[in-house]
Amino acid sequence: MKKRYIDIEDITDLDAWVKEAIQLKDAPYQFSSLGKQKTLCMLFFNPSLRTRLSTQKAALHLGMHVMVMNFGAEGWQLEFDDGTIMNAGKAEHIKEAAAVVSQYCDVLAIRAFASLKDKQKDEAELVIKSFQKYASVPIVNMESATAHPLQALADAITIAEHKQAGRPKVVLSWAPHPRALPHAVANSFVKMMKLKDAEFVITHPEGYELNPSITQGGTIEYDQRKALKDADFVYVKNWSSYSDYGRMGNLYPDWMITREKMELTNQGKFMHCLPVRRNVVVDDAVLDGEHSLVIEQANNRTFAAQLVLKKILEHG
């Protein structure tokens, strides 16, 4: 592993990582001395529930101290552009901020969402790559403009724990949502599935294609019911348009996942990263049903983060 975790592709051997994460679940404190006298600093440019708590819990399992800062409410606005005359609202440059924060911690974890206004700027990953450039400690991506690799690793763990077929059918289905959402979770899930031995299908209405450079070589099916047939896992997520960047056109309420649609599957397991809009993205019967894995997915967030931190600490 590289001394960072920015993208799911930073994983050297996904199957081996998943196996190790599952072992951590059986004895989460077995490496509690590894992080002794080490500090994790978590910087949030956007709000969080699971990511914050699970990553903090993971660090505690390893014996680390944890510091948390919410930039929206507690920090200066940062300037990221070089050569800027800082005579407006932004009080501190990333060069100083990253260097200073690096002196206070051993690992730096960052969460910064996409703006969904400027595709080029979002894909440049300005926040996380600037910290990566100017910080002197390892960086962990707790969700950036285009990627959520901690979620994808947790999803891989969840699928491995519940897989019955030798080569399962996994469907990533778009779902309706009242507002435009980023592509990060879907992007990382697609990249993760490319590393797995599975029949993988992406289904969404026409016009909601993801970045073609990420989905290239994959199977895309515009008929949701056809895609769901005989699926072993159904991962559901909304995302806004990529071609008409950040926009939401037709909301397609009939794309909501229902019990009747899940009956098309092979007793398929329902997955979602949470938070989820009940009876918009998925109906209560599915979300509360016996095949829903959403709570277990959330639990696996701790062990995905713990494994990443463990690898970084072991690395140096």
Side-chain angles (χ1 to χ4, degrees):
M1 176 191 174
K2 302 169 185 175
K3 201 173 179 181
R4 64 169 191 252
Y5 189 62
I6 304 298
D7 195 272
I8 192 74
E9 293 165 341
D10 287 327
I11 293 177
T12 50
D13 184 333
L14 180 59
D15 289 339
W17 276 47
V18 167
K19 183 177 180 180
E20 187 173 350
I22 293 172
Q23 291 171 346
L24 282 176
K25 291 182 72 172
D26 292 332
Y29 290 99
Q30 62 180 309
F31 299 102
S32 59
S33 62
L34 186 61
K36 186 178 181 180
Q37 297 182 350
K38 302 288 185 181
T39 300
L40 170 68
C41 181
M42 303 166 66
L43 301 182
F44 290 91
F45 291 82
N46 296 97
S48 175
L49 190 157
R50 274 151 296 277
T51 298
R52 173 172 175 170
L53 296 180
S54 63
T55 306
Q56 189 166 353
K57 179 64 172 176
L60 295 175
H61 281 167
L62 294 169
M64 300 182 77
H65 299 288
V66 181
M67 300 188 298
V68 179
M69 184 171 183
N70 295 293
F71 256 87
E74 300 170 345
W76 313 113
Q77 280 195 327
L78 295 183
E79 178 60 64
F80 291 91
D81 293 335
D82 289 334
T84 301
I85 298 173
M86 293 176 58
N87 59 358
K90 295 181 179 178
E92 186 161 7
H93 200 281
I94 182 61
K95 289 183 179 181
E96 290 78 52
V100 168
V101 172
S102 296
Q103 297 177 111
Y104 303 151
C105 65
D106 301 280
V107 182
L108 180 57
I110 299 165
R111 182 176 178 93
F113 291 169
S115 68
L116 291 180
K117 296 177 181 177
D118 185 327
K119 181 192 293 187
Q120 186 175 1
K121 189 173 182 178
D122 283 346
E123 292 188 335
E125 292 284 13
L126 185 63
V127 175
I128 201 159
K129 287 190 176 180
S130 294
F131 273 99
Q132 188 179 342
K133 180 178 180 180
Y134 295 115
S136 58
V137 296
I139 304 292
V140 174
N141 182 353
M142 296 191 297
E143 187 172 358
S144 64
T146 66
H148 198 346
L150 287 177
Q151 180 66 56
L153 179 55
D155 297 335
I157 296 166
T158 306
I159 290 172
E161 289 179 315
H162 292 273
K163 183 180 74 171
Q164 294 183 350
R167 189 171 185 268
K169 180 178 180 180
V170 181
V171 176
L172 171 63
S173 177
W174 182 93
H177 199 278
R179 65 183 184 89
L181 295 182
H183 306 95
V185 170
N187 286 344
S188 289
F189 188 77
V190 171
K191 288 183 177 182
M192 182 273 290
M193 287 306 305
K194 286 185 173 182
L195 302 175
K196 300 291 291 180
D197 181 20
E199 179 185 352
F200 180 51
V201 179
I202 305 168
T203 184
H204 55 72
E206 293 190 55
Y208 282 100
E209 290 77 10
L210 292 163
N211 184 339
S213 68
I214 293 176
T215 60
Q216 184 177 15
T219 300
I220 298 175
E221 173 57 63
Y222 295 117
D223 185 331
Q224 186 188 41
R225 290 176 180 272
K226 183 177 179 181
L228 291 174
K229 185 171 174 54
D230 298 326
D232 298 292
F233 295 90
V234 179
Y235 196 104
V236 180
K237 186 71 179 76
N238 173 268
W239 57 84
S240 53
S241 174
Y242 180 79
S243 57
D244 187 11
Y245 189 66
R247 302 292 185 266
M248 293 288 286
N250 191 326
L251 295 182
Y252 295 103
D254 58 325
W255 274 70
M256 181 178 73
I257 296 295
T258 63
R259 175 185 286 175
E260 181 262 335
K261 288 181 183 177
M262 291 298 291
E263 289 175 354
L264 300 170
T265 70
N266 181 29
Q267 296 186 339
K269 303 293 187 181
F270 175 82
M271 300 178 68
H272 191 285
C273 62
L274 301 181
V276 64
R277 302 274 185 139
R278 283 177 174 264
N279 302 306
V280 175
V281 171
V282 56
D283 69 21
D284 287 339
V286 174
L287 192 57
D288 297 330
E290 61 179 333
H291 296 299
S292 174
L293 299 181
V294 297
I295 303 303
E296 293 173 62
Q297 275 179 271
N299 185 46
N300 282 335
R301 290 295 308 278
T302 295
F303 303 101
Q306 185 173 344
L307 180 60
V308 168
L309 293 173
K310 175 177 177 287
K311 296 281 188 183
I312 288 174
L313 292 171
E314 289 174 339
H315 190 82

